[in-house]
Amino acid sequence: MKQIKIGTVIPGPHAVQWLPKMKDMGFETFSLNFHMTLEGVDLAWLADQTNEILKDSEAKVTTVGLYCNPIQSADDRKNLEYVIDMAPKFGATHVSTFAGAFEGKPVEDSFKEFGKVFRDLADRAQEKGLKLGIENCLMGGTWEKATCNIGFNPKAWEVMFEEVKNPNFGLEWEPTHQMVQLIDPVAQLRKWAKKVVHVHGKDATIDWNAVKEYGIAGAKDFVWHRTPGFGDTNWTDIISILRMNGYEDDICIEGYHDNVYNQEWEMTAQIHALNYLKWCRGGAFTANPWEV
C-alpha cells in the first residue's frame, strides 16, 4: 500500500510566483487549478517553469484542473482537451474539471450531452495515462436549475457512471460540497470510494441551530467552508475509508475559502491542515522491525 500524500492547490496563474516559496513548506504534492478559463496561460511554458522550480524537490505536480462547462461551451471543451494533452508535461497523473450543464435547466436535461462529451474526454485522458475527475461542487445550482456542474449529487453520479464507464473516470471528491447539501460525507464516501480518483482537502462547519431555527433558504448562514482541522469532518475516518478501498493518490488542500483563517492567515491555516492531515493518515511511514 502506497502512502496517501498531502499536498495543496495553487491557482495556475500564480504558480510561478508562489511555488518557489511553497515547495519547501512540507507539501508533498501540488495541484494547479484554473477556474473557467486558462487566463491566457501557455501550459507548455508553465510546465517548463514548474518543472524547473521543482527539479530538486520531492514534491511534484499531480493534478491540473480546469473547472469549466464543457457541455455548454465548445471553447471550454477545447480548453479542457488542451489541458489533458498538456498535463503529462507537468508529470501530472490527473486532470480535474466540472461535469458541465445546460445552465438554468434541470440536471436530467444534460445527461445525454454529458455522456457524449465525457466519453471522448475520458478516452483522451486514458490515452495519455491520466485519471479524469469530476469535482462534486454545487456551484450554486439546484437539481431543477443547474449551473455549470451536474456532478454535485450522487443521484447524478448514478447516471454519469452509466454514461461513461472508463476505468480512469471518477470523482474529485471532498466533504464540503456534500455538507452544504446536508449530506453525510463519511457515509457517502463508504458507498462511493471506489469511484474517487482524487481528493480535495476542504471541510465545512454546519450550524445545526441555524438549520433548526431558520432552515436553509438563506435567511441565515448555516454552513461555512473550512480548512481541514477546523471543520466538522473526521479526516481519520476519510483516510481510513480511502485506504480500505485502495486509494493511493493524494489529498490536495483547497485553501482560500476558510471564513476565519484567511487573508494574512491563509498559510497558517494551510500548514495546520497539512500537519493535521499527515497526523490523520498516521504520520510518516515507519517500517516494522520484523519481516512481513
Side-chain angles (χ1 to χ4, degrees):
M1 179 185 296
K2 294 180 181 178
Q3 180 72 287
I4 293 176
K5 294 185 176 182
I6 311 300
T8 193
V9 171
I10 293 181
H14 299 304
V16 172
Q17 290 74 36
W18 294 10
L19 270 176
K21 295 181 179 179
M22 294 178 71
K23 68 176 183 177
D24 297 321
M25 287 184 169
F27 299 110
E28 297 167 331
T29 65
F30 294 102
S31 175
L32 306 184
N33 286 5
F34 297 85
H35 187 71
M36 294 303 172
T37 76
L38 293 170
E39 299 186 37
V41 174
D42 180 334
L43 293 184
W45 172 84
L46 183 60
D48 288 342
Q49 295 296 309
T50 57
N51 290 337
E52 178 64 22
I53 293 168
L54 297 175
K55 66 180 181 180
D56 297 322
S57 173
E58 293 185 3
K60 302 298 179 186
V61 173
T62 60
T63 310
V64 183
L66 174 60
Y67 302 93
C68 60
N69 192 344
I71 286 179
Q72 187 161 283
S73 170
D75 286 341
D76 284 5
R77 186 159 60 250
K78 183 177 180 180
N79 285 336
L80 188 52
E81 290 172 348
Y82 173 54
V83 170
I84 290 171
D85 291 344
M86 291 294 105
K89 293 185 179 297
F90 293 85
T93 51
H94 295 69
V95 167
S96 301
T97 189
F98 290 153
F102 291 123
E103 297 190 14
K105 295 185 178 181
V107 167
E108 292 100 330
D109 289 6
S110 297
F111 285 153
K112 184 176 180 180
E113 187 67 13
F114 168 84
K116 177 183 176 182
V117 169
F118 274 89
R119 281 190 292 273
D120 288 344
L121 290 171
D123 285 345
R124 193 184 195 104
Q126 194 165 341
E127 290 172 0
K128 302 287 183 181
L130 299 168
K131 295 179 182 179
L132 179 62
I134 301 295
E135 187 180 17
N136 58 342
C137 185
L138 186 61
M139 287 301 292
T142 66
W143 193 265
E144 292 302 320
K145 292 184 178 181
T147 53
C148 56
N149 186 27
I150 63 171
F152 64 84
N153 189 278
K155 185 177 178 180
W157 304 345
E158 292 168 2
V159 178
M160 288 162 52
F161 291 123
E162 282 298 313
E163 289 285 341
V164 184
K165 297 185 178 182
N166 297 55
N168 66 317
F169 178 71
L171 297 171
E172 181 177 69
W173 185 87
E174 66 172 66
T176 314
H177 296 308
Q178 305 310 286
M179 295 168 75
V180 300
Q181 302 173 69
L182 301 186
I183 295 171
D184 181 343
V186 174
Q188 180 185 88
L189 185 61
R190 291 188 192 281
K191 180 177 179 179
W192 289 94
K194 292 291 188 184
K195 288 297 185 181
V196 173
V197 297
H198 195 239
V199 177
H200 270 169
K202 184 148 63 71
D203 204 344
T205 296
I206 299 173
D207 182 348
W208 288 106
N209 289 328
V211 173
K212 293 173 184 177
E213 186 172 358
Y214 296 100
I216 60 172
K220 184 178 177 64
D221 289 339
F222 71 94
V223 62
W224 299 270
H225 291 204
R226 302 303 307 272
T227 311
F230 296 112
D232 292 347
T233 304
N234 185 329
W235 283 86
T236 302
D237 283 350
I238 285 178
I239 291 173
S240 294
I241 294 166
L242 290 170
R243 277 186 160 154
M244 285 189 291
N245 285 275
Y247 185 82
E248 294 183 335
D249 290 289
D250 55 343
I251 298 172
C252 283
I253 297 162
E254 186 182 3
Y256 325 108
H257 291 80
D258 196 295
N259 69 314
V260 179
Y261 290 87
N262 54 42
Q263 301 298 323
E264 69 269 24
W265 288 89
E266 177 62 43
M267 290 313 302
T268 300
Q270 289 207 31
I271 296 302
H272 174 73
L274 174 67
N275 293 330
Y276 168 71
L277 291 174
K278 286 181 177 179
W279 178 84
C280 287
R281 75 177 182 192
F285 172 77
T286 302
N288 297 325
W290 60 83
E291 292 186 7
V292 177

